[in-house]
Amino acid sequence: MNKNLFFSLLFLTTFPALAQQLTIQGTVNDESNEPIPFCNVTLTELVSSKVTVGTTTNETGFFKLEDLKANKYILNISYLGFNSYQDTITLQKNLVFKTIVLKEKTQDLDGVTVIAKRPTVKRLVDRLVFNVENSTLSNGNVLDVLKNTPGVLVYDGAITIKNSTPTVYINDRKVHLSSDEIQQLLQGTSASNIKSIEVITNPPAKYEAEGGSVLNIIMSKNLTPGYNGSLFGDYKQGSQYPKYSIGTSHFYKTETIDAYLNYNISPRKDYRHNSEYINFIENNQVTSSWETDYKRTSESSNQNINANIDFKINDANSLGVSTNILISPKQNTITDVASTTDVFSNAYTLDSIFNTNNRVFDKRTNVAVTLDYTHHFKKEGETLLMSAHRTKYDFLSDQFVDTDYFFDDRTTLIRNNTFQTISGQKIELYTGQLDYELPINDSSQFEMGGKVSSINSESILTQYNYINGQPVLDLQNSDTFLYDEMNYAAYSSYSKDWETWSFKSGLRVEYTDITGNSFAANQINTSDYVKFFPSLYLLHRFNENHELYFNYNKRIYRPRYSELNPFKYFLNDNAYITGDPNLKPQIDDNFTLGYTFNKKYTFEAYYRYENDPTLQITFQDNTENLLKLTNTNIDRSISYGLDFITYTNITSRWNLYVLSSIFYYDSLFFAEESNNVQYALDKWSLYSQIINYFTFLKDKSLTADVSFLYISPIVDGPAIYSGRSGLDITLRKTLWNNRASISVGVTDMFNALNFTQTNRYLNQDYLLKSRLENRMLTFGFNYKFGNTHLKTNQKDIDMEERDRLD
């Protein structure tokens, strides 16, 4: 609506000064009972057909027409992709409409029904919302959706946003799983019931201060009583071994109960071939060189169970119980590593070799239960949420390492060394949380809450050296480590929307009390600290095609529990992993300035200062000829860069997604094996992901996704990782009126995602060449049964500290 028309309408509605001033108000939702913002709402006089007044719905779907006189009108409500709503009314008093539901527009093409879609990407003041409901992406699994989500990178077994690992939430509840377990859960969960993915680069005060960015997966809500389910699975064939995954989901709803159950099992074998080169240095001269060839096979058969049930007590109160269970049985979780090391003298003459066989049996159970209570007050939007959570984590590992040492003829045995390591960790985690939400008016909201967490961890390490075939306890390399942590948090936030501005600010305060006890060292470490975590968000809409936004927040990364263990866990005779009970938490300051053009193209500049980052650094001990993987704090890291993101349609059957980032990373660390000299490493890097979505056939039931990923050489602490690239292609066909889908594809077509790691500075000279089963042929299927019009109440349990498990 142009300015002249707006002021004309304003004049028309206020001219009869002596007339009674009336109002019309209401809320507009879609068929899923979700609000539709920015609907056009107009009021036309019935007799003259003149437009009297007009407005748009706000973010909650609410509209209000004011300063009206008694008359007969036609109310029109419209939104792109939906059938318009029209009603003839006789206005004699203030009128309040019940919820007005707009139905999605359909177009019939030769008997084929095509449903119009809403806009895919939306920018809010503190997050980016990627709507995927009923899209082609909903036929895959949740991990597939994340691979296509703006601002998110999924590669090399990791999910990252702006070079950091995000925290995963489902329906605003944090997932208390380790990074590997989260990927297993998401890969084993169908995406058919996802409504949207929220990418929150700098999370507001409501979210835990722990971690960096947040990925909030919003599941659709169940509206219609009944039952539905799905069966899904995939098969991947790598260069060496196949990988399988199969699962099933079930949803059931009555007037008072919503129930959801998901189960999946993922039997698989993974192969990794590494080559390792070390030059041991003394007085700036190479004294010995080691070249090692590793071949590692990992077998697993993880099982995930995710379930929840919601009880509607009445219109104002509801109760929910959620559980998430991960089981990795010992008989199916086996890792075999065979390695051969050639030892050369300083003249690069073969001196000796040693062959090592390492077999590990792991057993893991992770059981979490959450109880939720929600109360809705009489005031619309005023809500109280309470939850209690418990996690029980149990891990046991049994490792056998056997090494034979030979002379340079490779046949004459020098000696044999065999040892066994039994390690385990038990963790009990309890949390209680309260959140209160209060809409002050139609354009502002207040939130506050608090959380208490208790963590108790017991880690054991027992090593046996075999002498004459008999195990002898190695007291020097055995220990028990107890770790207790209490965390108390409180937060508040306020948000306000104007016509062209949006504002949100908040403050979170956390107090942490820690005790660590190493039995072998007879050492107890205690620490406590209070940290403040402010957040600020500003968004300005110049017009419908131009947006400018800024946000800032402070975050914390607490050490993973295994990183605190002071054990020396030997991988072989010459390499071990160790932690540090005195690790400090990492504190980050994050700044983001972004600009969005035409609702499609976003340019985002960011700056992040990391204080005391925790890294696992590979050091070589030049005196003992050992390789140490040490969990330690480095001094600081600085990262800044410019991102470009677009998700747009080229034609009606071709959509394009581009994520590109050029960034600078600078780290300052202490060289532990070089007299703790302070050393800096920095580099400019580039990563880019381009995904093309193609649609074929008249009914659009055949799709093709072509994805290309490029990462230039990057720096991480003292290590430089080589560049890599990968091309993925996936074809997907929906069948039987979208009740089923099948897919076929290939990942890393040219096998270019392998990389090298180089640590070369001062007296350190280490090179690792990593070769994984990245190139794979993939097959997938998904079949839905029952009432497929149901929407699930699926949610995951409130989890914060569980992602610190390993």
Side-chain angles (χ1 to χ4, degrees):
M1 181 180 297
N2 61 46
K3 292 182 178 179
N4 291 334
L5 179 58
F6 176 83
F7 286 112
S8 298
L9 293 175
L10 182 64
F11 174 78
L12 289 172
T13 56
T14 56
F15 177 75
L18 300 177
Q20 183 180 6
Q21 305 300 300
L22 303 175
T23 63
I24 300 175
Q25 66 184 55
T27 302
V28 182
N29 287 359
D30 62 15
E31 292 171 284
S32 299
N33 204 31
E34 296 296 321
I36 305 178
F38 310 121
C39 287
N40 293 318
V41 182
T42 59
L43 196 65
T44 305
E45 288 185 2
L46 181 62
V47 177
S48 65
S49 298
K50 291 182 179 179
V51 176
T52 304
V53 70
T55 187
T56 60
T57 56
N58 65 11
E59 294 287 339
T60 64
F62 176 82
F63 71 89
K64 188 174 184 180
L65 303 173
E66 301 177 288
D67 300 326
L68 304 174
K69 65 178 181 179
N71 204 343
K72 290 184 177 182
Y73 298 97
I74 298 176
L75 177 67
N76 287 280
I77 301 176
S78 62
Y79 186 73
L80 181 64
F82 290 80
N83 292 317
S84 298
Y85 172 90
Q86 190 175 91
D87 193 13
T88 302
I89 57 177
T90 301
L91 186 63
Q92 296 178 336
K93 60 180 181 180
N94 292 337
L95 183 60
V96 178
F97 275 83
K98 294 182 179 180
T99 301
I100 297 171
V101 177
L102 297 188
K103 296 183 178 181
E104 285 186 318
K105 185 182 297 182
T106 63
Q107 182 179 6
D108 196 53
L109 301 176
D110 295 333
V112 178
T113 300
V114 180
I115 299 178
K117 300 297 181 183
R118 289 168 135 195
T120 305
V121 180
K122 182 179 180 182
R123 166 69 61 183
L124 301 182
V125 65
D126 61 349
R127 67 196 65 192
L128 185 77
V129 181
F130 183 46
N131 296 304
V132 298
E133 189 171 28
N134 296 324
S135 70
T136 56
L137 292 176
S138 62
N139 291 315
N141 60 53
V142 180
L143 193 62
D144 289 334
V145 175
L146 292 184
K147 292 178 181 178
N148 295 275
T149 300
V152 180
L153 268 180
V154 180
Y155 73 97
D156 195 25
I159 304 171
T160 63
I161 297 176
K162 293 193 184 303
N163 308 316
S164 66
T165 301
T167 304
V168 177
Y169 285 69
I170 298 183
N171 288 346
D172 271 331
R173 293 301 182 188
K174 191 171 183 179
V175 181
H176 287 244
L177 297 171
S178 69
S179 297
D180 290 341
E181 292 169 348
I182 285 176
Q183 290 215 40
Q184 294 163 17
L185 172 67
L186 299 181
Q187 192 168 20
T189 303
S190 172
S192 58
N193 295 289
I194 294 181
K195 178 187 174 185
S196 61
I197 305 290
E198 296 181 347
V199 183
I200 313 173
T201 306
N202 293 334
K206 177 181 179 179
Y207 293 93
E208 305 295 337
E210 168 74 25
S213 305
V214 163
L215 278 177
N216 189 24
I217 302 171
I218 305 298
M219 310 303 293
S220 301
K221 296 182 180 179
N222 198 339
L223 298 177
T224 309
Y227 164 81
N228 75 26
S230 65
L231 182 67
F232 51 89
D234 62 63
Y235 169 85
K236 300 178 180 179
Q237 179 62 57
S239 60
Q240 298 288 329
Y241 301 109
K243 304 100 171 58
Y244 309 88
S245 178
I246 189 168
T248 182
S249 295
H250 301 271
F251 316 96
Y252 178 72
K253 178 178 174 61
T254 67
E255 293 297 328
T256 57
I257 295 176
D258 269 330
Y260 164 76
L261 173 66
N262 180 88
Y263 170 80
N264 75 86
I265 183 170
S266 305
R268 61 184 294 147
K269 268 189 175 184
D270 293 285
Y271 178 76
R272 184 166 192 161
H273 184 192
N274 286 356
S275 298
E276 188 177 82
Y277 306 87
I278 310 173
N279 288 322
F280 291 101
I281 300 172
E282 185 177 346
N283 297 325
N284 296 321
Q285 298 292 323
V286 175
T287 59
S288 179
S289 298
W290 290 14
E291 296 180 2
T292 305
D293 184 74
Y294 289 93
K295 294 179 180 178
R296 170 176 171 167
T297 302
S298 300
E299 180 182 353
S300 62
S301 185
N302 295 324
Q303 301 177 58
N304 275 289
I305 302 172
N306 184 20
N308 63 269
I309 184 168
D310 293 331
F311 301 90
K312 181 181 178 182
I313 302 171
N314 51 44
D315 290 340
N317 300 280
S318 61
L319 194 65
V321 180
S322 307
T323 185
N324 186 280
I325 302 171
L326 182 139
I327 302 172
S328 299
K330 181 177 180 180
Q331 63 270 24
N332 299 115
T333 310
I334 305 170
T335 300
D336 286 301
V337 181
S339 65
T340 299
T341 300
D342 292 343
V343 180
F344 296 91
S345 65
N346 57 357
Y348 204 73
T349 302
L350 183 63
D351 182 75
S352 61
I353 68 167
F354 55 89
N355 297 329
T356 301
N357 290 296
N358 182 325
R359 168 163 274 207
V360 182
F361 296 87
D362 288 340
K363 177 184 176 183
R364 179 187 288 109
T365 56
N366 197 337
V367 181
V369 179
T370 298
L371 178 66
D372 289 306
Y373 169 73
T374 304
H375 175 71
H376 299 283
F377 295 91
K378 292 183 178 180
K379 183 177 181 179
E380 184 177 357
E382 185 179 7
T383 308
L384 178 68
L385 303 98
M386 293 185 289
S387 68
H389 170 78
R390 178 181 185 247
T391 287
K392 184 174 182 180
Y393 176 82
D394 195 348
F395 171 75
L396 183 65
S397 179
D398 195 354
Q399 173 187 243
F400 294 87
V401 181
D402 181 80
T403 304
D404 291 326
Y405 293 83
F406 297 90
F407 285 110
D408 57 358
D409 60 6
R410 299 183 182 273
T411 58
T412 305
L413 182 67
I414 301 174
R415 64 184 177 90
N416 169 270
N417 187 59
T418 302
F419 66 89
Q420 177 185 7
T421 304
I422 299 174
S423 60
Q425 186 174 39
K426 294 183 178 180
I427 296 175
E428 295 276 355
L429 166 65
Y430 297 90
T431 68
Q433 184 169 338
L434 184 146
D435 299 288
Y436 174 68
E437 301 173 359
L438 174 65
I440 299 172
N441 51 45
D442 292 340
S443 62
S444 59
Q445 179 163 317
F446 174 76
E447 296 177 333
M448 64 178 296
K451 183 176 181 179
V452 178
S453 303
S454 171
I455 303 102
N456 305 107
S457 171
E458 178 184 4
S459 301
I460 63 166
L461 179 72
T462 305
Q463 182 162 309
Y464 297 92
N465 296 323
Y466 278 75
I467 302 176
N468 297 323
Q470 298 299 316
V472 177
L473 180 63
D474 184 352
L475 293 174
Q476 186 176 355
N477 291 306
S478 301
D479 195 4
T480 297
F481 179 69
L482 304 180
Y483 177 84
D484 298 316
E485 178 183 309
M486 289 294 300
N487 182 268
Y488 305 88
Y491 76 89
S492 65
S493 70
Y494 171 78
S495 61
K496 171 72 175 176
D497 290 321
W498 293 273
E499 184 176 352
T500 60
W501 285 90
S502 293
F503 165 82
K504 187 171 186 176
S505 67
L507 177 66
R508 189 178 186 92
V509 183
E510 294 192 359
Y511 168 73
T512 305
D513 187 16
I514 297 172
T515 302
N517 184 2
S518 172
F519 285 15
N522 193 24
Q523 180 180 0
I524 297 177
N525 298 289
T526 61
S527 66
D528 63 286
Y529 52 85
V530 177
K531 300 292 183 182
F532 294 86
F533 304 95
S535 58
L536 173 67
Y537 309 86
L538 284 172
L539 172 66
H540 178 53
R541 300 178 183 90
F542 297 95
N543 52 49
E544 63 179 12
N545 290 322
H546 299 274
E547 290 181 346
L548 184 69
Y549 58 92
F550 169 82
N551 53 62
Y552 161 79
N553 75 350
K554 186 184 288 287
R555 306 290 289 170
I556 186 172
Y557 291 82
R558 296 183 178 88
R560 312 300 94 174
Y561 304 126
S562 63
E563 295 170 350
L564 296 163
N565 294 342
F567 307 154
K568 289 183 178 180
Y569 182 86
F570 279 86
L571 303 171
N572 54 50
D573 288 356
N574 307 284
Y576 65 85
I577 302 172
T578 186
D580 183 357
N582 295 311
L583 285 177
K584 304 174 186 177
Q586 171 183 330
I587 305 295
D588 288 3
D589 288 283
N590 303 285
F591 301 83
T592 303
L593 177 65
Y595 167 72
T596 298
F597 169 68
N598 202 26
K599 300 181 181 179
K600 295 180 180 180
Y601 309 102
T602 297
F603 298 87
E604 195 169 87
Y606 71 92
Y607 175 89
R608 180 171 66 244
Y609 185 93
E610 304 171 356
N611 191 46
D612 295 321
T614 298
L615 290 179
Q616 186 179 91
I617 299 180
T618 301
F619 290 111
Q620 61 189 63
D621 184 336
N622 292 299
T623 302
E624 301 294 334
N625 284 9
L626 291 174
L627 200 64
K628 304 191 300 184
L629 287 76
T630 304
N631 292 293
T632 185
N633 289 116
I634 68 174
D635 188 57
R636 60 106 179 106
S637 294
I638 297 172
S639 178
Y640 51 83
L642 178 66
D643 294 353
F644 170 71
I645 303 171
T646 184
Y647 198 97
T648 184
N649 59 308
I650 306 301
T651 69
S652 61
R653 292 179 178 267
W654 178 16
N655 290 327
L656 176 67
Y657 163 57
V658 177
L659 166 62
S660 185
S661 177
I662 181 170
F663 61 94
Y664 172 80
Y665 187 81
D666 174 26
S667 62
L668 184 66
F669 62 95
F670 295 96
E672 182 178 308
E673 293 299 321
S674 306
N675 298 319
N676 279 325
V677 172
Q678 213 174 41
Y679 193 84
L681 203 60
D682 65 302
K683 194 173 189 61
W684 279 96
S685 300
L686 168 72
Y687 69 74
S688 183
Q689 185 175 32
I690 302 172
I691 306 177
N692 294 272
Y693 305 96
F694 300 100
T695 305
F696 306 100
L697 303 182
K698 183 182 294 186
D699 61 356
K700 298 186 178 181
S701 63
L702 178 63
T703 62
D705 298 347
V706 181
S707 172
F708 178 75
L709 171 68
Y710 171 75
I711 305 172
S712 73
I714 59 175
V715 166
D716 187 18
I720 298 178
Y721 294 87
S722 65
R724 67 198 89 168
S725 62
L727 177 67
D728 298 351
I729 299 176
T730 302
L731 295 173
R732 181 176 287 108
K733 179 70 170 71
T734 58
L735 305 166
W736 307 322
N737 197 23
N738 206 35
R739 278 186 173 267
S741 68
I742 56 175
S743 64
V744 61
V746 60
T747 63
D748 193 15
M749 178 176 289
F750 300 107
N751 202 29
L753 277 174
N754 294 312
F755 62 92
T756 63
Q757 173 192 340
T758 304
N759 292 43
R760 189 168 289 133
Y761 59 93
L762 300 177
N763 63 351
Q764 303 288 296
D765 192 352
Y766 169 81
L767 172 66
L768 172 69
K769 293 182 178 180
S770 178
R771 295 178 290 276
L772 300 168
E773 288 186 284
N774 297 311
R775 180 164 53 187
M776 290 185 287
L777 186 64
T778 66
F779 301 90
F781 73 91
N782 191 327
Y783 176 69
K784 308 170 190 176
F785 48 86
N787 181 1
T788 57
H789 295 291
L790 285 175
K791 298 296 181 183
T792 171
N793 68 327
Q794 176 184 357
K795 60 185 177 182
D796 233 291
I797 43 188
D798 174 14
M799 307 174 173
E800 173 199 355
E801 291 78 7
R802 276 185 67 190
D803 62 352
R804 295 166 66 193
L805 307 178
D806 290 285

